[in-house]
Amino acid sequence: MKKIGIMTSGGDSPGMNGAIRAAVRAAINYGMTPYGILSGYKGMIEGSIFELKHSDVSNIISRGGTILQTARSLEFKTEEGQKKAVANLEKYGIEGLVVIGGDGSLSGAKVLDEKFGIKSIGIPGSIDNDIYGTDVSLGVDTALNVIMDSIDMINNTASSHGRTFVIEVMGRHCGYLAVMAGIATGADAVIIPEVEPDLAGIAEKFKKRAADCKTRNILIVAEGAGSAYDFGKKLQEAGTFDARITVLGHVQRGGFPTYFDRVLGSRMGAAAVEGLMNGKTAVMTGLQGNQIKFVPYEEVFSKRHELNNNIIKLLDDLA
Protein backbone atom coordinates (compact mmCIF):
# COMPACT_ATOMS: atom_id res chain seq x y z
CA MET A 1 0.00 0.00 0.00
CA LYS A 2 1.53 3.27 -1.16
CA LYS A 3 -1.16 5.91 -0.63
CA ILE A 4 -3.67 6.28 2.20
CA GLY A 5 -6.39 8.80 2.98
CA ILE A 6 -7.00 10.24 6.43
CA MET A 7 -10.32 11.79 7.38
CA THR A 8 -12.46 12.88 10.32
CA SER A 9 -16.23 12.66 10.20
CA GLY A 10 -19.31 13.24 12.35
CA GLY A 11 -18.97 15.16 15.60
CA ASP A 12 -15.48 16.41 16.43
CA SER A 13 -13.71 15.21 19.55
CA PRO A 14 -10.51 16.33 21.29
CA GLY A 15 -7.65 14.02 20.35
CA MET A 16 -8.53 13.79 16.67
CA ASN A 17 -5.59 16.01 15.75
CA GLY A 18 -3.27 13.74 17.69
CA ALA A 19 -4.55 10.78 15.69
CA ILE A 20 -4.15 12.67 12.39
CA ARG A 21 -0.59 13.67 13.30
CA ALA A 22 0.38 10.12 14.25
CA ALA A 23 -1.20 8.63 11.12
CA VAL A 24 0.59 11.09 8.84
CA ARG A 25 3.99 10.60 10.42
CA ALA A 26 3.65 6.83 10.68
CA ALA A 27 2.66 6.66 7.01
CA ILE A 28 5.67 8.73 5.96
CA ASN A 29 7.95 6.58 8.11
CA TYR A 30 6.62 3.46 6.36
CA GLY A 31 7.20 4.98 2.93
CA MET A 32 3.55 5.75 2.22
CA THR A 33 2.06 9.01 0.95
CA PRO A 34 -0.73 10.28 3.24
CA TYR A 35 -3.60 12.37 1.88
CA GLY A 36 -5.99 14.48 3.91
CA ILE A 37 -9.69 14.45 3.03
CA LEU A 38 -11.47 17.64 4.14
CA SER A 39 -14.91 17.51 5.75
CA GLY A 40 -15.28 13.75 5.81
CA TYR A 41 -17.43 11.99 3.22
CA LYS A 42 -18.66 15.34 1.93
CA GLY A 43 -15.11 16.27 0.97
CA MET A 44 -14.53 12.81 -0.47
CA ILE A 45 -17.46 13.33 -2.83
CA GLU A 46 -16.32 16.85 -3.73
CA GLY A 47 -12.70 15.82 -4.27
CA SER A 48 -11.32 17.96 -1.42
CA ILE A 49 -8.21 15.80 -1.15
CA PHE A 50 -4.59 16.91 -0.76
CA GLU A 51 -1.24 15.44 0.17
CA LEU A 52 -0.23 15.81 3.80
CA LYS A 53 3.42 16.43 4.59
CA HIS A 54 5.36 16.11 7.82
CA SER A 55 5.22 19.85 8.47
CA ASP A 56 1.44 20.02 7.93
CA VAL A 57 0.86 18.26 11.24
CA SER A 58 3.43 20.11 13.32
CA ASN A 59 2.08 21.65 16.54
CA ILE A 60 -1.45 20.28 16.14
CA ILE A 61 -1.43 17.67 18.91
CA SER A 62 -2.44 20.26 21.51
CA ARG A 63 -5.35 21.65 19.49
CA GLY A 64 -8.95 20.61 19.96
CA GLY A 65 -11.30 19.91 17.06
CA THR A 66 -9.84 18.63 13.79
CA ILE A 67 -7.64 20.35 11.22
CA LEU A 68 -9.30 18.21 8.54
CA GLN A 69 -12.72 19.60 9.55
CA THR A 70 -15.82 17.50 9.66
CA ALA A 71 -19.30 17.42 8.17
CA ARG A 72 -22.23 15.10 7.70
CA SER A 73 -23.18 14.01 4.20
CA LEU A 74 -26.64 12.86 3.15
CA GLU A 75 -25.37 12.42 -0.41
CA PHE A 76 -22.91 9.73 0.69
CA LYS A 77 -25.85 7.58 1.77
CA THR A 78 -26.87 7.28 -1.89
CA GLU A 79 -25.34 4.95 -4.48
CA GLU A 80 -24.47 7.90 -6.70
CA GLY A 81 -22.70 9.71 -3.86
CA GLN A 82 -20.71 6.63 -2.93
CA LYS A 83 -19.56 6.15 -6.53
CA LYS A 84 -18.42 9.79 -6.70
CA ALA A 85 -16.42 9.30 -3.52
CA VAL A 86 -14.78 6.12 -4.80
CA ALA A 87 -13.94 7.78 -8.13
CA ASN A 88 -12.10 10.56 -6.31
CA LEU A 89 -10.17 8.08 -4.18
CA GLU A 90 -9.13 6.24 -7.34
CA LYS A 91 -8.16 9.54 -8.99
CA TYR A 92 -5.56 10.10 -6.26
CA GLY A 93 -4.55 6.45 -6.11
CA ILE A 94 -5.70 6.08 -2.51
CA GLU A 95 -5.78 2.41 -1.54
CA GLY A 96 -6.77 2.59 2.12
CA LEU A 97 -8.42 4.90 4.63
CA VAL A 98 -7.96 5.90 8.25
CA VAL A 99 -11.44 7.02 9.33
CA ILE A 100 -11.71 8.89 12.63
CA GLY A 101 -15.21 9.35 14.00
CA GLY A 102 -18.29 7.79 15.56
CA ASP A 103 -20.53 4.93 14.54
CA GLY A 104 -21.91 6.79 11.50
CA SER A 105 -18.40 7.46 10.21
CA LEU A 106 -17.38 3.84 10.69
CA SER A 107 -20.59 2.70 8.99
CA GLY A 108 -19.53 4.65 5.90
CA ALA A 109 -16.13 2.98 5.96
CA LYS A 110 -17.84 -0.40 6.21
CA VAL A 111 -19.90 0.39 3.09
CA LEU A 112 -16.79 1.37 1.11
CA ASP A 113 -15.07 -1.84 2.14
CA GLU A 114 -17.98 -4.17 1.38
CA LYS A 115 -19.24 -2.60 -1.85
CA PHE A 116 -16.08 -1.19 -3.41
CA GLY A 117 -13.16 -2.97 -1.78
CA ILE A 118 -11.70 0.18 -0.22
CA LYS A 119 -9.66 -0.97 2.77
CA SER A 120 -10.09 0.98 5.98
CA ILE A 121 -9.32 1.05 9.67
CA GLY A 122 -11.48 3.15 11.97
CA ILE A 123 -10.52 5.14 15.05
CA PRO A 124 -13.36 5.72 17.58
CA GLY A 125 -13.98 9.42 18.18
CA SER A 126 -17.12 9.94 20.25
CA ILE A 127 -17.24 11.85 23.52
CA ASP A 128 -20.40 9.93 24.48
CA ASN A 129 -18.24 6.77 24.80
CA ASP A 130 -20.98 4.75 23.13
CA ILE A 131 -18.88 2.71 20.68
CA TYR A 132 -18.45 -0.99 21.35
CA GLY A 133 -14.98 -2.51 21.32
CA THR A 134 -13.02 0.15 23.16
CA ASP A 135 -12.89 0.97 26.86
CA VAL A 136 -12.82 4.65 25.98
CA SER A 137 -13.11 6.66 22.76
CA LEU A 138 -11.10 9.69 21.70
CA GLY A 139 -12.25 12.86 23.42
CA VAL A 140 -14.04 11.28 26.38
CA ASP A 141 -11.35 12.16 28.92
CA THR A 142 -11.15 15.78 27.76
CA ALA A 143 -14.94 16.13 27.75
CA LEU A 144 -15.14 14.77 31.29
CA ASN A 145 -12.53 17.24 32.48
CA VAL A 146 -14.50 20.12 30.90
CA ILE A 147 -17.72 18.86 32.52
CA MET A 148 -16.02 18.42 35.88
CA ASP A 149 -14.55 21.94 35.84
CA SER A 150 -17.93 23.41 34.84
CA ILE A 151 -19.83 21.59 37.58
CA ASP A 152 -17.21 22.50 40.18
CA MET A 153 -17.74 26.18 39.32
CA ILE A 154 -21.52 25.83 39.36
CA ASN A 155 -21.24 24.06 42.70
CA ASN A 156 -19.67 27.14 44.22
CA THR A 157 -22.61 29.40 43.39
CA ALA A 158 -25.11 26.64 44.21
CA SER A 159 -23.63 26.43 47.70
CA SER A 160 -23.61 30.20 48.11
CA HIS A 161 -27.29 30.59 47.20
CA GLY A 162 -28.68 27.30 48.48
CA ARG A 163 -30.05 26.33 45.08
CA THR A 164 -30.72 23.19 43.11
CA PHE A 165 -28.90 23.04 39.78
CA VAL A 166 -29.97 20.68 37.01
CA ILE A 167 -27.04 20.27 34.62
CA GLU A 168 -27.47 18.63 31.23
CA VAL A 169 -24.50 16.86 29.66
CA MET A 170 -24.12 15.01 26.37
CA GLY A 171 -25.02 11.34 25.98
CA ARG A 172 -27.82 10.51 23.55
CA HIS A 173 -27.84 6.76 24.13
CA CYS A 174 -25.19 6.33 26.79
CA GLY A 175 -24.98 7.83 30.27
CA TYR A 176 -21.23 7.37 30.66
CA LEU A 177 -20.41 11.09 30.87
CA ALA A 178 -23.17 11.76 33.36
CA VAL A 179 -22.24 8.85 35.63
CA MET A 180 -18.51 9.55 35.64
CA ALA A 181 -19.06 13.28 36.13
CA GLY A 182 -21.45 12.48 38.97
CA ILE A 183 -18.79 10.45 40.76
CA ALA A 184 -16.03 12.98 40.08
CA THR A 185 -18.00 16.03 41.26
CA GLY A 186 -19.95 14.52 44.15
CA ALA A 187 -23.30 15.14 42.47
CA ASP A 188 -26.40 14.38 44.53
CA ALA A 189 -28.31 12.57 41.76
CA VAL A 190 -27.80 11.51 38.14
CA ILE A 191 -30.34 10.64 35.45
CA ILE A 192 -29.23 8.47 32.50
CA PRO A 193 -30.97 6.78 29.54
CA GLU A 194 -30.15 3.29 30.84
CA VAL A 195 -32.15 3.68 34.07
CA GLU A 196 -35.79 4.79 34.48
CA PRO A 197 -35.69 8.12 36.37
CA ASP A 198 -37.28 8.30 39.81
CA LEU A 199 -38.13 12.01 40.13
CA ALA A 200 -40.26 11.43 43.19
CA GLY A 201 -37.37 9.68 44.90
CA ILE A 202 -34.94 12.43 43.94
CA ALA A 203 -37.33 15.14 45.18
CA GLU A 204 -37.74 13.28 48.49
CA LYS A 205 -33.98 12.99 48.83
CA PHE A 206 -33.57 16.73 48.25
CA LYS A 207 -36.24 17.45 50.89
CA LYS A 208 -34.36 15.34 53.43
CA ARG A 209 -31.16 17.18 52.58
CA ALA A 210 -32.96 20.49 53.16
CA ALA A 211 -34.16 19.22 56.55
CA ASP A 212 -30.50 18.57 57.38
CA CYS A 213 -29.65 22.15 56.35
CA LYS A 214 -28.14 21.00 53.05
CA THR A 215 -29.81 23.39 50.65
CA ARG A 216 -27.44 22.89 47.71
CA ASN A 217 -28.30 20.11 45.22
CA ILE A 218 -26.62 19.05 41.98
CA LEU A 219 -28.58 16.88 39.55
CA ILE A 220 -26.80 15.76 36.36
CA VAL A 221 -28.94 14.71 33.38
CA ALA A 222 -27.69 12.90 30.27
CA GLU A 223 -29.40 14.47 27.25
CA GLY A 224 -30.72 11.10 26.07
CA ALA A 225 -32.73 10.71 29.27
CA GLY A 226 -34.75 13.87 28.68
CA SER A 227 -34.60 17.64 28.94
CA ALA A 228 -32.99 19.29 31.95
CA TYR A 229 -35.68 21.97 31.71
CA ASP A 230 -38.44 19.37 32.05
CA PHE A 231 -36.77 17.70 35.00
CA GLY A 232 -36.15 21.07 36.66
CA LYS A 233 -39.80 22.02 36.27
CA LYS A 234 -40.97 18.72 37.74
CA LEU A 235 -38.62 19.08 40.68
CA GLN A 236 -39.95 22.55 41.44
CA GLU A 237 -43.50 21.20 41.30
CA ALA A 238 -42.56 18.38 43.69
CA GLY A 239 -41.06 20.61 46.36
CA THR A 240 -39.85 24.05 47.26
CA PHE A 241 -36.68 23.87 45.19
CA ASP A 242 -35.21 27.01 43.64
CA ALA A 243 -34.01 25.16 40.54
CA ARG A 244 -31.61 26.55 37.95
CA ILE A 245 -30.87 24.91 34.61
CA THR A 246 -27.50 24.71 32.85
CA VAL A 247 -27.07 22.97 29.50
CA LEU A 248 -23.36 22.57 28.88
CA GLY A 249 -23.87 21.82 25.18
CA HIS A 250 -20.98 21.98 22.75
CA VAL A 251 -18.54 23.40 25.28
CA GLN A 252 -18.02 19.71 26.12
CA ARG A 253 -16.42 19.14 22.72
CA GLY A 254 -13.99 22.02 23.18
CA GLY A 255 -10.91 22.58 25.22
CA PHE A 256 -7.34 21.45 24.81
CA PRO A 257 -6.98 17.66 24.63
CA THR A 258 -5.81 16.13 27.89
CA TYR A 259 -2.62 14.11 28.19
CA PHE A 260 -4.71 10.94 27.98
CA ASP A 261 -6.44 11.91 24.71
CA ARG A 262 -3.19 13.11 23.11
CA VAL A 263 -1.50 9.79 23.85
CA LEU A 264 -4.56 7.72 22.93
CA GLY A 265 -4.92 9.53 19.59
CA SER A 266 -1.23 9.02 18.89
CA ARG A 267 -1.38 5.31 19.69
CA MET A 268 -4.51 4.70 17.64
CA GLY A 269 -3.31 6.76 14.65
CA ALA A 270 -0.02 4.89 14.43
CA ALA A 271 -1.72 1.52 14.97
CA ALA A 272 -4.23 2.20 12.18
CA VAL A 273 -1.48 2.87 9.64
CA GLU A 274 0.50 -0.15 10.74
CA GLY A 275 -2.64 -2.25 10.43
CA LEU A 276 -3.27 -1.08 6.85
CA MET A 277 0.34 -1.77 5.99
CA ASN A 278 -0.09 -5.33 7.27
CA GLY A 279 -3.24 -5.92 5.21
CA LYS A 280 -5.89 -5.42 7.87
CA THR A 281 -9.22 -3.89 6.90
CA ALA A 282 -12.78 -3.43 8.17
CA VAL A 283 -11.56 -3.14 11.75
CA MET A 284 -11.50 -0.42 14.41
CA THR A 285 -8.72 0.35 16.86
CA GLY A 286 -9.92 -0.19 20.41
CA LEU A 287 -8.29 0.42 23.77
CA GLN A 288 -8.79 -2.72 25.84
CA GLY A 289 -6.98 -2.63 29.14
CA ASN A 290 -3.74 -0.96 28.13
CA GLN A 291 -3.54 -2.60 24.71
CA ILE A 292 -4.66 -1.35 21.30
CA LYS A 293 -6.70 -4.13 19.68
CA PHE A 294 -8.31 -4.41 16.25
CA VAL A 295 -12.07 -4.95 16.52
CA PRO A 296 -14.02 -6.06 13.37
CA TYR A 297 -16.68 -3.61 12.16
CA GLU A 298 -19.26 -6.38 12.38
CA GLU A 299 -18.59 -6.72 16.08
CA VAL A 300 -18.62 -2.95 16.62
CA PHE A 301 -22.08 -2.60 15.06
CA SER A 302 -23.68 -5.79 16.37
CA LYS A 303 -22.91 -5.17 20.03
CA ARG A 304 -23.62 -2.35 22.43
CA HIS A 305 -21.24 -0.55 24.76
CA GLU A 306 -22.76 -1.18 28.18
CA LEU A 307 -22.22 0.86 31.32
CA ASN A 308 -20.48 -1.08 34.07
CA ASN A 309 -23.07 -1.92 36.74
CA ASN A 310 -20.41 -1.64 39.45
CA ILE A 311 -19.82 1.98 38.41
CA ILE A 312 -23.55 2.74 38.60
CA LYS A 313 -23.69 1.11 42.05
CA LEU A 314 -20.69 3.17 43.18
CA LEU A 315 -22.48 6.33 42.06
CA ASP A 316 -25.59 5.36 44.03
CA ASP A 317 -23.55 4.52 47.12
CA LEU A 318 -21.65 7.83 47.05
CA ALA A 319 -24.43 10.22 46.04
Side-chain angles (χ1 to χ4, degrees):
M1 187 170 292
K2 296 297 182 183
K3 297 181 179 181
I4 64 169
I6 303 167
M7 58 176 280
T8 52
S9 177
D12 65 310
S13 59
M16 282 184 165
N17 282 328
I20 294 167
R21 173 181 178 270
V24 168
R25 295 194 169 177
I28 293 172
N29 287 341
Y30 287 128
M32 301 177 184
T33 302
Y35 285 82
I37 302 170
L38 282 181
S39 301
Y41 294 109
K42 178 176 179 289
M44 193 182 293
I45 290 172
E46 296 172 351
S48 300
I49 301 172
F50 60 99
E51 183 179 344
L52 282 168
K53 299 186 182 299
H54 200 278
S55 60
D56 292 328
V57 293
S58 295
N59 299 318
I60 68 168
I61 194 170
S62 61
R63 292 167 55 182
T66 163
I67 64 163
L68 293 179
Q69 301 181 341
T70 181
R72 304 186 191 279
S73 174
L74 293 177
E75 187 178 1
F76 184 77
K77 295 182 179 181
T78 68
E79 184 83 14
E80 183 181 356
Q82 292 163 10
K83 288 180 177 178
K84 285 181 183 178
V86 170
N88 282 323
L89 294 178
E90 292 175 345
K91 176 182 175 182
Y92 286 89
I94 293 173
E95 305 162 81
L97 295 171
V98 174
V99 179
I100 310 167
D103 53 2
S105 307
L106 301 183
S107 296
K110 183 173 181 287
V111 168
L112 291 177
D113 178 80
E114 292 179 346
K115 292 177 64 174
F116 303 99
I118 304 296
K119 294 182 178 181
S120 68
I121 293 183
I123 294 177
S126 169
I127 68 167
D128 289 357
N129 206 34
D130 56 353
I131 300 176
Y132 180 84
T134 185
D135 295 342
V136 65
S137 295
L138 270 183
V140 173
D141 188 70
T142 304
L144 275 172
N145 275 276
V146 170
I147 293 169
M148 182 178 67
D149 288 346
S150 299
I151 294 177
D152 284 348
M153 288 185 279
I154 289 171
N155 201 14
N156 290 333
T157 195
S159 299
S160 298
H161 292 273
R163 285 174 175 159
T164 293
F165 271 83
V166 183
I167 303 167
E168 185 177 303
V169 301
M170 287 185 172
R172 284 181 299 169
H173 307 294
C174 179
Y176 184 89
L177 290 178
V179 168
M180 292 304 188
I183 293 172
T185 62
D188 303 294
V190 175
I191 295 176
I192 58 175
E194 292 89 342
V195 179
E196 187 70 25
D198 179 12
L199 262 297
I202 292 173
E204 189 61 31
K205 177 181 181 178
F206 288 178
K207 289 177 183 177
K208 289 180 180 178
R209 284 174 53 80
D212 291 335
C213 298
K214 298 176 181 178
T215 55
R216 187 277 294 145
N217 300 299
I218 297 292
L219 168 62
I220 301 176
V221 177
E223 63 180 342
S227 167
Y229 290 97
D230 291 340
F231 287 124
K233 182 179 179 181
K234 291 176 182 177
L235 275 178
Q236 290 197 156
E237 292 171 350
T240 56
F241 304 112
D242 185 12
R244 294 290 186 273
I245 311 301
T246 300
V247 178
L248 294 183
H250 285 79
V251 69
Q252 296 161 90
R253 293 192 184 278
F256 300 106
T258 58
Y259 146 81
F260 183 87
D261 279 325
R262 296 182 195 196
V263 173
L264 181 61
S266 299
R267 293 180 69 188
M268 287 185 167
V273 172
E274 186 174 347
L276 285 173
M277 184 185 70
N278 292 326
K280 292 188 180 296
T281 186
V283 294
M284 180 195 78
T285 59
L287 180 69
Q288 299 179 6
N290 193 37
Q291 301 294 316
I292 300 295
K293 304 286 188 178
F294 291 111
V295 186
Y297 287 159
E298 288 293 343
E299 194 172 335
V300 172
F301 296 123
S302 64
K303 298 181 180 181
R304 181 180 176 181
H305 188 111
E306 301 283 354
L307 271 177
N308 188 315
N309 287 330
N310 291 330
I311 294 295
I312 297 177
K313 182 179 182 302
L314 175 64
L315 173 68
D316 289 339
D317 290 343
L318 297 179

